[in-house]
Amino acid sequence: MANHKPFFALKPDRGMLIALLVFILLPFVIGLFDGASPAQVWMNGSGQSKFIQGLAIEIFILALYALSYDLIFGFTGLLSFGHSMFFAVGAYLTGILLKNFGFSLAATFGMIFVASILQALLFGMVLPRVKGITFALVTLGMASVFHVLVLSTELGKFTGSDVGLQGVVVPDFISPATERLRLYFITLTILVVVFMLYKRFVNSTTGRVCTAIRENEGRALMLGYNTFYFKLAALMLSSLTAALAGMMHSIYQPIVSPNVAGLGFTVTALLIILIGGVGTLNGAIIGAVAYRLLDYGLRRYIGESASFINGAVYVLIVLFLPFGIVGTWRMKSLQINQGWKRLLGMFTNSQDKSDGA
Amino acid sequence: MDYILDVQDIHTFIGQYHILQGVSVRVPRGSITALLGRNGAGKTTTLKSILGLTPPRQGKIMFEGNEIQGMLSFNIASLGIGFVPENRSIFRDLSVEENLKIAERKKGDYAGKKGFIFTLFPDLKRLINLSGINLSGGQQQMLAIARALVADNCLLLIDEPSEGLAPVLIEQLMKAIQQLSAYSTVVLVEQNFLVASQLAEYYVIIEEGRSVKEGKMKDLTNDKATIQHYLGAA
């Protein structure tokens, strides 16, 4: 009998299902603590819940962005220093098309889709010629050109130059001011769908070839794979995801700072997956939660000097959790499981012995 | 004689170094041919030149009657040439089964061949879900050879299969290579002359980047002077 496997046939991930449930209930639970009924939260009443929804939307967007970086760096082994460009193109294009050209959201998404494919092709052009750190530097060069362009006064009419793109006109039905809960659930849905798609991708033959390329590209070539197409496929999916994250960023903020096009924002993605665990996917989401909450918490209670402590915390995480939170957890849980088995084995054996006696 | 592979006077450079300075190798179909020579003679570079990893600047490489020099590595591999490299190079983060499945050239290759593979290497069946990183050296070597068997490769290039393995594992590998030669022509690079002489029917000796002698292995085993001169073994 033919084995028909549904597209989203995934092993149930208990941890992620619990996380999803928590995120679904979060606005209402926070509302209850704040004295607001679920109905009031549903009607987008102001209060603590609305604030937390905003913080969570930022986390979802960061998680999307980090997932896209994990795909090319964590799974395919392409170290890119120009990843922020993927995000910034989505953010700026959304802002400009909505504000200056009055595009609909669907048309804007269509344009972002095209732009993300084009920018992946741009990065892909150099793939056959450069590898490793050289690829990282070439992509940094491309992203730097884009950064200079958005900062230029000639394009200031559209990009807002060094002040950033301000006053993006967001459709009412997803306005972060009046329809934040809806925006919250839309962003959460996008994250869940992208996460499932990525899981499917990395477990597919294409995904395994990407892993093989990361480990030993020469071997993948010798198995008859034209590795260029696989790297390009990963770049395209990553570019589309990062641009989508940029689009949601533009809608939520709704301003676009030129910082999102700089090297610092690529480092943010790298930092998030280092915290969460490189090449784990779950780690990108957990890393985004840890990164944003740490940043928010420290800034709130310490102020601007929080950056110093932030940096120290990241160094400690990298030192003591070298495989990130998820990577280290996976290793330790294996040891814990083996320990439990040994312990249970000891009891079972002693039980057997006493039964025998 | 029907030659599946005919390497004609190839010259290969790595950077500025002229590594192969005229290597010719003819491989009869269905045979095991050993490339012999001292360390650094150019045996592995010959395999890499055939595969397009270090493309030759001069000379001709004919596979199944067609010229393949100048083609890209993945295209050469797709013609039906499997490679088992010296350092095994299995994918450490993939399980044994994933390592085998990734070598499929068309859907169903793995399903069709796994019976044969597990007969050759019964250990791999037991380790099917284990990650490559958790395998021992011998198991990695078996997996590397098994991976080259998944697709329909009519020529297998095996580089130093016995390197770093315990004698008992070498024996197991030798049996496997002998069995698989019934389905595929094998070119074997082997430092261990005892292993090479027991497996191969033909040999080519490479010395300082040149092929200097070729013939039948049974003639070489009786020629102690040649063995002593080129291989330093008696």
Side-chain angles (χ1 to χ4, degrees), chain A residues 214-215 219 222 225-226, chain B residues 51 91-93 102 147:
Chain A
R214 182 196 66 203
E215 285 194 31
R219 277 306 303 144
M222 289 325 307
Y225 290 109
N226 185 347
Chain B
L51 293 159
F91 301 117
R92 297 168 311 143
D93 286 350
I102 205 172
R147 200 173 48 188

Side-chain angles (χ1 to χ4, degrees), chain B residues 2 27 60 80 122 154 176 184:
Chain B
D2 177 21
V27 180
K60 224 189 239 185
C154 46
S184 177

Side-chain angles (χ1 to χ4, degrees), chain A residues 5-6 10 18 23-24 68 75 89 94 145 158 178 184 239-240 249 251 258 261 278 299 333-334 337 344:
Chain A
K5 202 173 173 186
L10 298 169
I18 292 171
F23 280 126
I24 289 171
S68 69
F75 281 95
V89 163
T94 304
V145 170
F158 296 110
T178 58
Y184 173 90
S239 165
L240 181 60
H249 170 84
I251 289 170
V278 178
R299 276 184 200 285
S333 64
L334 200 70
N337 282 341
L344 284 171

Side-chain angles (χ1 to χ4, degrees), chain B residues 20-107:
Chain B
L20 299 186
Q21 304 172 22
V23 169
S24 298
V25 179
R26 287 184 299 174
V27 180
R29 189 182 300 277
S31 69
I32 300 183
T33 302
L35 300 188
L36 305 172
R38 294 174 200 269
N39 263 339
K43 305 182 295 293
T44 299
T45 309
T46 303
L47 294 191
K48 287 185 174 172
S49 296
I50 295 167
L51 293 159
L53 291 171
T54 52
R57 286 197 197 169
Q58 258 184 62
K60 224 189 239 185
I61 303 173
M62 310 288 286
F63 174 68
E64 297 273 28
N66 300 311
E67 278 188 37
I68 60 167
Q69 80 275 9
M71 283 171 69
L72 295 169
S73 298
F74 59 88
N75 285 331
I76 294 175
S78 303
L79 294 174
I81 302 180
F83 181 43
V84 182
E86 192 177 6
N87 50 10
R88 290 146 204 164
S89 291
I90 58 154
F91 301 117
R92 297 168 311 143
D93 286 350
L94 300 183
S95 70
V96 169
E97 186 163 44
E98 286 170 338
N99 261 287
L100 294 171
K101 274 188 174 169
I102 205 172
E104 279 189 324
R105 215 161 275 151
K106 58 179 191 298
K107 212 164 173 60

Side-chain angles (χ1 to χ4, degrees), chain A residues 84-85 88-90 92 119 141-151 261:
Chain A
S84 60
M85 182 177 138
V89 163
Y92 272 100
Q119 63 182 345
M142 290 180 184
S144 300
V145 170
F146 181 75
H147 195 197
V148 169
L149 279 176
V150 297
L151 285 172

Side-chain angles (χ1 to χ4, degrees), chain A:
Chain A
M1 201 168 70
N3 181 17
H4 295 292
K5 202 173 173 186
F7 185 72
F8 281 120
L10 298 169
K11 282 183 190 169
D13 187 335
R14 202 169 43 182
M16 292 319 277
L17 282 176
I18 292 171
L20 179 61
L21 194 66
V22 167
F23 280 126
I24 289 171
L25 296 176
L26 184 71
F28 305 102
V29 174
I30 298 288
L32 285 176
F33 278 113
D34 201 30
S37 68
Q40 282 171 310
V41 174
W42 188 255
M43 298 306 289
N44 286 291
S46 58
Q48 195 65 13
S49 174
K50 195 168 184 178
F51 170 74
I52 294 294
Q53 287 165 39
L55 193 62
I57 290 170
E58 286 177 26
I59 289 171
F60 300 155
I61 291 168
L62 275 177
L64 269 175
Y65 176 53
L67 271 174
S68 69
Y69 197 60
D70 203 22
L71 183 70
I72 56 162
F73 176 59
F75 281 95
T76 318
L78 292 173
L79 178 63
S80 164
F81 285 163
H83 197 66
S84 60
M85 182 177 138
F86 288 176
F87 182 94
V89 163
Y92 272 100
L93 202 58
T94 304
I96 292 167
L97 292 179
L98 289 178
K99 184 184 170 189
N100 299 72
F101 296 97
F103 271 48
S104 68
L105 209 57
T108 304
F109 178 72
M111 292 299 285
I112 282 173
F113 183 85
V114 173
S116 59
I117 298 298
L118 289 176
Q119 63 182 345
L121 286 173
L122 182 71
F123 276 37
M125 267 184 351
V126 298
L127 273 177
R129 289 166 192 83
V130 291
K131 285 191 177 88
I133 195 71
T134 324
F135 177 74
L137 292 174
V138 171
T139 52
L140 174 64
M142 290 180 184
S144 300
V145 170
F146 181 75
H147 195 197
V148 169
L149 279 176
V150 297
L151 285 172
S152 68
T153 47
E154 287 80 3
L155 290 175
K157 185 182 153 199
F158 296 110
T159 62
S161 198
D162 54 348
V163 184
L165 177 60
Q166 312 251 349
V168 176
V169 183
V170 178
D172 288 341
F173 77 99
I174 50 164
S175 161
T178 58
E179 297 291 345
R180 186 168 296 184
L181 191 65
R182 182 178 286 160
L183 185 60
Y184 173 90
F185 281 117
I186 287 174
T187 320
L188 178 61
T189 307
I190 291 172
L191 178 61
V192 170
V193 170
V194 167
F195 179 76
M196 288 169 75
L197 184 72
Y198 270 42
K199 273 257 185 194
R200 181 76 189 147
F201 180 83
V202 300
N203 289 319
S204 69
T205 306
T206 310
R208 285 194 203 103
V209 176
C210 288
T211 308
I213 291 169
R214 182 196 66 203
E215 285 194 31
N216 189 334
E217 190 173 351
R219 277 306 303 144
L221 279 168
M222 289 325 307
L223 289 173
Y225 290 109
N226 185 347
T227 54
F228 169 73
Y229 290 122
F230 290 89
K231 289 194 280 189
L232 192 62
L235 264 179
M236 282 182 177
L237 188 55
S238 170
S239 165
L240 181 60
T241 311
L244 188 60
M247 180 182 180
M248 295 314 293
H249 170 84
S250 223
I251 289 170
Y252 172 66
Q253 287 296 342
I255 60 166
V256 185
S257 155
N259 289 342
V260 298
L263 174 63
F265 201 56
T266 297
V267 175
T268 301
L270 180 60
L271 206 53
I272 289 173
I273 61 169
L274 281 175
I275 294 169
V278 178
T280 58
L281 290 188
N282 300 3
I285 297 174
I286 291 169
V289 173
Y291 174 86
R292 188 67 191 97
L293 290 185
L294 191 68
D295 189 53
Y296 166 74
L298 288 175
R299 276 184 200 285
R300 183 172 178 187
Y301 296 107
I302 301 173
E304 279 309 305
S305 54
S307 303
F308 176 74
I309 298 173
N310 242 343
V313 171
Y314 299 144
V315 170
L316 289 176
I317 287 175
V318 172
L319 280 179
F320 293 103
L321 300 173
F323 303 102
I325 296 168
V326 175
T328 311
W329 167 252
R330 281 182 187 171
M331 285 175 64
K332 295 284 176 197
S333 64
L334 200 70
Q335 290 167 359
I336 291 167
N337 282 341
Q338 284 171 344
W340 270 112
K341 275 183 190 163
R342 266 204 306 275
L343 199 66
L344 284 171
M346 279 164 65
F347 279 114
T348 322
N349 288 343
S350 58
Q351 186 72 38
D352 291 346
K353 278 174 195 165
S354 58
D355 287 349

Side-chain angles (χ1 to χ4, degrees), chain B residues 24-208:
Chain B
S24 298
V25 179
R26 287 184 299 174
V27 180
R29 189 182 300 277
S31 69
I32 300 183
T33 302
L35 300 188
L36 305 172
R38 294 174 200 269
N39 263 339
K43 305 182 295 293
T44 299
T45 309
T46 303
L47 294 191
K48 287 185 174 172
S49 296
I50 295 167
L51 293 159
L53 291 171
T54 52
R57 286 197 197 169
Q58 258 184 62
K60 224 189 239 185
I61 303 173
M62 310 288 286
F63 174 68
E64 297 273 28
N66 300 311
E67 278 188 37
I68 60 167
Q69 80 275 9
M71 283 171 69
L72 295 169
S73 298
F74 59 88
N75 285 331
I76 294 175
S78 303
L79 294 174
I81 302 180
F83 181 43
V84 182
E86 192 177 6
N87 50 10
R88 290 146 204 164
S89 291
I90 58 154
F91 301 117
R92 297 168 311 143
D93 286 350
L94 300 183
S95 70
V96 169
E97 186 163 44
E98 286 170 338
N99 261 287
L100 294 171
K101 274 188 174 169
I102 205 172
E104 279 189 324
R105 215 161 275 151
K106 58 179 191 298
K107 212 164 173 60
D109 272 350
Y110 169 66
K113 296 278 180 64
K114 66 180 180 185
F116 172 59
I117 289 170
F118 295 143
T119 312
L120 279 182
F121 305 112
D123 266 4
L124 292 183
K125 193 174 184 179
R126 184 172 54 84
L127 306 166
I128 197 80
N129 292 318
L130 215 61
S131 290
I133 198 168
N134 295 317
L135 302 182
S136 69
Q139 290 162 345
Q140 286 187 19
Q141 187 63 281
M142 287 172 199
L143 179 56
I145 295 177
R147 200 173 48 188
L149 298 176
V150 171
D152 287 324
N153 289 317
C154 46
L155 177 66
L156 286 182
L157 309 179
I158 307 179
D159 196 3
E160 302 275 11
S162 69
E163 196 191 24
L165 296 186
V168 64
L169 284 174
I170 295 177
E171 239 173 75
Q172 209 181 331
L173 267 175
M174 280 170 66
K175 272 185 200 158
I177 292 171
Q178 236 150 12
Q179 277 180 276
L180 67 90
S181 69
Y183 303 90
S184 177
T185 307
V186 177
V187 175
L188 184 72
V189 164
E190 184 56 67
Q191 281 279 332
N192 186 334
F193 180 68
L194 201 66
V195 172
S197 62
Q198 286 180 43
L199 280 174
E201 301 156 68
Y202 299 93
Y203 73 92
V204 176
I205 295 179
I206 298 174
E207 168 98 333
E208 292 180 354

